[in-house]
Each structure stands twice: as structure tokens, then as C-alpha cells.
Amino acid sequence: MDARREDLGRMLRAWRMARDPALLPEPVPFRGHRSYLTQLDMALLLGVSERWYRALERGEDRKYAREMIDGVVRILDLSPGRATALHRGTGHQPPRYRAGSARPDDAMLDLLHQQRRVSWICDQAWDVLAVNAVAARHCPWLARPDANVMTWAFSTEARYQLRDWDTKWAGPLLGRLRLAWQRWPDNERLDDVVRAVRREPGVAELWERTADVRAPHDDAALPMYFPLVAPDPVDVRIAAYGRFGDTALRWLVLTPVDPAVVFP
């Protein structure tokens, strides 16, 4: 038996045992009250034989239907990462995930709101999921409904706050966007963001002209204008943080290069 498939079967069993039947959107066809789903429960919910489902958890190499695997994902409410592993492990193309599938947890939000710097959390497509009070005050666009970092950064409005936009911001931002677009080809929302950015004036030409553009180093200083902080632009560094082993979310923090600069 293939070791990778066998290990996937063990993980699937753990995911099944951790699933509370009371959380299922449909009635579970069993008698009594249990805190977990059995293999028979899964088989009945999926409309397959218990032997066929058991083979999946045993890691047996069979031609499991895509509909069956999709059903397992739905019943067990698997995260995008787990669903991708299950699809690939059974020979299927992983689904394309839309925005909204990743959310910051309470611990991440607590750290965000403790910051005295401009700070926000976004997903792989740069949709803004949470902002702290400092960010809402000094970058009010971050607090707008449906805010997206990249679509704003390439808008004409952004060039008022992102100083030296043509020489300091446009290339590095485009580099990050393009690398992400290649890294996560299954993210439909990221496709939408790329199309929106390329429709902005001059971006399509910049895209074609700078095929070898690279993202900046984390210590690159970039000028931004904060009218409530200083009359002149302030150089900031952008740092990105994330949860261990999780690339679905990024927590970004703007830190002034000059430690004497503070955000009121």
C-alpha cells in the first residue's frame, strides 16, 4: 500500500472522528447519540457502501468518484488545505476557492488590535478582513466594505498617499501580485483582482514591460503620506506575518523607519 495514501487515510479518520454530528446541516441516519461520525454514517450520507468508504480511510488506491470526495469535504467541513490534500491524494484536481474561505482567529485579531501602528489582515487575494483602529484612522480606505489592497494601490486615488508611486511602489507591488497569481492558480478571487488591476490606466503596459520585476526586500523603505502624522511623507517598512504553516492569511504592519514617528 502506498505510504502517502495510507497516511492520508489516517488523517481522514481523525477528521471524521473530530466531526460533531450535531453540526451537520442534514439529519444523520443513525440511532442514539454520539459525539462523532462512524464509517457507516459516512457511507450512508455519501450513498456508497461501508466497504467502499472504509477503503478510502485505509488508503486503498481506487477510483473514487469526484462527487464522493466532494461529499466528504462537505460533510466533514474540511478546510481548504485539508480538502486540497484529500482531492490530490485521490487523484482529483483541487477545487478553486473563492474569497472568504479564510478568517483570522481570536488570537490573531487580539494581536492586531494591540498594535500602535497601521496594521491589517488580508487573504491571498489581498481582500482586507480586519483592520486596527490606527489603520482605520490613517488609511481609511482599509476600513471600507470590500477593501482590497491591490485594487486600491493601483487606483489613481492611492497615488496621493503612496508617494513616488511610479518609482517606489508600482513595480514592487506588481511583483508581489504577479508572484501570488502564479503561486495560487486556484484562487478565483485573485484572478478577479489581477483583471481589475490590469484595467487601471497604464498598468497593462507596465505589466508587459516589467516581466522580470521583483518584490522588494522586507527592509525596503517606502514613502507614505499621513497628514495626521507629519506634513511630509514618512518612510515606512512593511512587514508581513502569518500563522504557523498557514499561507491563507497575512498580517501586515507598517512601521516608520524613524522610531521617533508615532501614529496618534
Side-chain angles (χ1 to χ4, degrees), residues 118 138-141 152 156-164 169 223-227 233-234 254:
V118 173
H138 296 279
C139 299
W141 60 271
W152 177 83
T156 54
E157 173 193 354
R159 304 175 198 195
Y160 174 75
Q161 188 164 32
L162 306 181
R163 294 303 170 95
D164 298 335
W169 288 94
M224 288 189 71
Y225 178 52
F226 302 101
V234 173
L254 300 187

Side-chain angles (χ1 to χ4, degrees), residues 52-123:
W52 192 255
Y53 178 79
R54 188 184 301 119
L56 177 63
E57 286 197 5
R58 283 174 52 86
E60 295 182 13
D61 187 3
R62 299 191 181 188
K63 293 184 178 179
Y64 304 102
R66 173 63 184 251
E67 291 76 13
M68 175 182 172
I69 303 305
D70 288 343
V72 173
V73 171
R74 175 179 52 80
I75 293 167
L76 299 184
D77 192 28
L78 298 184
S79 67
R82 290 177 175 181
T84 295
L86 183 60
H87 278 95
R88 286 181 174 157
T90 52
H92 295 289
Q93 182 69 23
R96 293 167 64 86
Y97 292 104
R98 296 182 178 274
S101 58
R103 285 289 181 267
D105 55 28
D106 291 342
M108 197 173 192
L109 291 173
D110 184 53
L111 289 171
L112 169 75
H113 293 299
Q114 289 182 40
Q115 299 305 306
R116 298 307 306 159
R117 303 181 177 107
V118 173
S119 183
W120 70 93
I121 298 171
C122 58
D123 60 18

Side-chain angles (χ1 to χ4, degrees), residues 185-256:
D186 294 329
N187 192 316
E188 290 183 329
R189 172 57 179 158
L190 190 52
D191 286 345
D192 295 339
V193 171
V194 168
R195 283 193 291 269
V197 166
R198 294 192 64 175
R199 286 195 297 267
E200 290 294 330
V203 174
E205 293 80 5
L206 180 64
W207 187 289
E208 298 297 331
R209 191 172 66 247
T210 56
D212 194 35
V213 69
R214 297 183 179 182
H217 297 294
D218 289 341
D219 61 352
L222 300 169
M224 288 189 71
Y225 178 52
F226 302 101
L228 300 179
V229 174
D232 298 315
V234 173
D235 284 340
V236 297
R237 292 190 174 97
I238 305 176
Y241 307 93
R243 295 184 295 208
F244 181 73
D246 181 5
T247 60
L249 299 175
R250 57 171 67 87
W251 168 30
L252 293 106
V253 180
L254 300 187
T255 301

